[in-house]
Amino acid sequence: MQVQAGPEATSSDGEAAEQLPADRGGIHLTKRLVAVLLVGAMLIFSIISNLTVYLNQRRQMAEARAQIIASNEHIADLLTEQERWSDPNYVRAQARARLGWVQAGEVGYQVIDEDGQPYGGGSGIDHTGASTSEDQSWWERIWSSVGEADAPTSAPPSVDDERVVTEGGATPTPGG
């Protein structure tokens, strides 16, 4: 009599009546293993995509913080400059340095170098393109002067250059 136990059929004498094919040595893919691998791949993909979004947001937040710090520093500089401009002595010093203004009763001097240019910089008007012919009408001369005034040749002197030359020699300006 034959009894079947499990996948193999055995005879009464204990020998295997039928043998299954031997292992092939490869990976057996079952439906369960494929499902687990697919779920794992989806989890890894979702984690990586969320991590990318998270890291991008962190980078953007750091850039925004740096921008805020730079803006706050710029605002502090502007407030300091506004505070300086509220001081009448500073305004006088700027008018003297930038515009060459003098107080009533003072004599203003402008030192020029060997090229005939003001020493120490200052604003000037470029006269290279200006036509000084007398055959222009008065409104054409005025309009050309507006165009010349709109194109200064150099920047105003720095704030540190607040010395005024008087008859007695170079002296610092009041408040400077």
Side-chain angles (χ1 to χ4, degrees), residues 64-173:
R65 284 188 188 111
Q67 261 185 339
I68 289 170
I69 290 171
S71 295
N72 287 340
E73 289 174 356
H74 183 67
I75 289 170
D77 291 343
L78 291 175
L79 289 174
T80 303
E81 186 174 346
Q82 182 182 17
E83 200 174 292
R84 273 191 248 137
W85 279 103
S86 66
D87 181 18
N89 291 328
Y90 182 78
V91 173
R92 274 189 223 108
Q94 291 301 311
R96 288 174 179 260
R98 293 181 183 192
L99 304 173
W101 286 9
V102 293
Q103 294 282 336
E106 292 181 345
V107 177
Y109 295 97
Q110 187 172 26
V111 181
I112 56 173
D113 60 10
E114 55 272 354
D115 296 333
Q117 299 298 320
Y119 184 72
S123 295
I125 298 175
D126 186 13
H127 294 288
T128 57
S131 69
T132 58
S133 66
E134 294 297 323
D135 59 331
Q136 282 185 327
S137 61
W138 64 271
W139 60 84
E140 291 174 332
R141 286 193 305 252
I142 289 175
W143 190 250
S144 67
S145 71
V146 170
E148 291 172 11
D150 195 31
T153 57
S154 62
S158 67
V159 177
D160 296 335
D161 191 19
E162 295 180 1
R163 295 175 42 150
V164 176
V165 178
T166 62
E167 289 181 13
T171 58
T173 59

